[in-house]
Amino acid sequence: MIVMQDMFKSFGEKVAVDGVSVAIPTNACFGLLGVNGAGKTTTFNMLSGMFLPTKGDAFLFGKSVKEQLRAVQTLMGICPQHDVLWSELSANEHLSLFAGLSLVEPSKVPGLVQYFLTAVDLADWGNTPCSKYSGGMRRRLSVACSLIADPNVVYLDEPTTGMDPVNRRGVWDVIEKAKKDRVVVLTTHAMEEADTLGDVISIMSRGRLRCLGTSLHLKNKYGSGYHVDVTCTEATHADVGQLLGAKLTSGHRPVGATQYSADVPLTNVAELQ
């Protein structure tokens, strides 16, 4: 469990994080949403010990980030916003190195390396130097490196940046499985990603948490509904328009000769069935 108590961070007169207090249970993913400059990465860096908070503290499984940083760092795995990889080393060598640094039992390392290479779809590239990897491949390797030592807490700072939809979904599956018996903290710009992975979601702006709750709670309280686009042929355009008119009480509008758009309130979602 992670407990943040009135965490505050300033750089000179600039306040980056302003009094954040929240508790994150085990077996859960905490999704932290926000635009660039909202304070997500600063919060992430304080939790991981990259720098200490100006005021306040955080506790990871009862250990203080301020007072017991070395003990705290043995509990965590980190996928930072910018990849920390060596261009001369392969994925296999990276995973073996991080496992060794984390004192994973040597006999277990080959099996773990192969498991994570397969999980992030890098098995065919396992012995290729990272200098040959695309940006998305490097992100997938960074996610695997953060999980290889089976940490109690995993920090993932925008882990799927640069990935195509197929590989993004694969990494989401890895993160979903990783939630068991640990805490996952995920920062992202994408509501879709937070919606898919986050058991609890918070939106951050100007250094403060502006809302907190499950995806369903936030949608019910702040969501306006669903935007629907329907594409058809010119020959069926009129028939599709009549069908939508009969189904959707909130109305619809044509977009060109082969498409319709509609905004469906949350209260009328059953009309989409």
Side-chain angles (χ1 to χ4, degrees):
M1 184 175 188
I2 297 177
V3 178
M4 290 180 260
Q5 294 183 345
D6 197 28
M7 292 185 71
F8 180 95
K9 183 65 181 180
S10 62
F11 299 93
E13 296 183 357
K14 172 67 176 177
V15 176
V17 176
D18 188 5
V20 171
S21 296
V22 68
I24 309 168
T26 308
N27 296 308
C29 176
F30 179 74
L32 189 57
L33 276 162
V35 299
N36 288 331
K40 305 187 306 297
T41 298
T42 302
T43 301
F44 180 98
N45 286 338
M46 286 192 290
L47 286 172
S48 60
M50 297 289 186
F51 44 70
L52 295 177
T54 306
K55 292 190 296 186
D57 201 353
F59 298 87
L60 279 66
F61 292 89
K63 294 180 171 59
S64 165
V65 170
K66 268 189 169 181
E67 306 296 335
Q68 300 166 280
L69 182 57
R70 290 297 183 191
V72 165
Q73 289 176 333
T74 64
L75 302 175
M76 67 177 68
I78 303 174
C79 174
Q81 194 173 55
H82 303 288
D83 300 313
V84 183
L85 303 173
W86 292 269
S87 58
E88 298 85 359
L89 299 184
S90 66
N92 197 327
E93 290 167 334
H94 273 97
L95 291 171
S96 298
L97 173 63
F98 280 101
L101 290 172
S102 301
L103 303 179
V104 174
E105 188 176 322
S107 62
K108 296 181 179 179
V109 171
L112 286 170
V113 168
Q114 191 56 47
Y115 169 79
F116 280 106
L117 285 176
T118 302
V120 297
D121 197 23
L122 288 175
D124 293 338
W125 295 80
N127 295 314
T128 304
C130 283
S131 57
K132 306 291 186 182
Y133 289 4
S134 66
M137 293 169 72
R138 294 171 68 88
R139 292 305 290 159
R140 279 143 53 196
L141 177 56
S142 293
V143 171
C145 288
S146 70
L147 294 167
I148 188 74
D150 192 27
N152 297 94
V153 179
V154 181
Y155 298 121
L156 304 171
D157 197 358
E158 299 178 22
T160 59
T161 301
M163 291 186 197
D164 61 83
V166 174
N167 283 314
R168 184 183 301 122
R169 174 61 62 177
V171 170
W172 286 354
D173 290 341
V174 173
I175 296 171
E176 184 67 35
K177 292 176 184 175
K179 291 193 292 190
K180 182 176 172 57
D181 298 326
R182 62 169 59 92
V183 181
V184 177
V185 179
L186 170 81
T187 69
T188 181
H189 292 295
M191 184 62 200
E192 180 189 8
E193 184 163 77
D195 191 13
T196 301
L197 296 173
D199 299 285
V200 180
I201 298 171
S202 179
I203 298 176
M204 195 170 199
S205 176
R206 298 182 181 179
R208 304 189 71 182
L209 299 185
R210 303 294 176 172
C211 59
L212 178 72
T214 64
S215 173
L216 182 61
H217 169 75
L218 296 180
K219 284 179 180 178
N220 287 336
K221 187 164 186 177
Y222 301 107
S224 58
Y226 290 89
H227 177 79
V228 181
D229 290 319
V230 180
T231 301
C232 56
T233 64
E234 288 190 39
T236 60
H237 192 255
D239 292 336
V240 171
Q242 290 180 0
L243 176 63
L244 291 174
K247 293 281 288 183
L248 304 179
T249 58
S250 55
H252 64 283
R253 56 191 179 278
V255 182
T258 61
Q259 192 172 9
Y260 287 96
S261 287
D263 293 310
V264 181
L266 286 171
T267 53
N268 296 359
V269 168
E271 296 176 355
L272 296 174
Q273 297 178 351

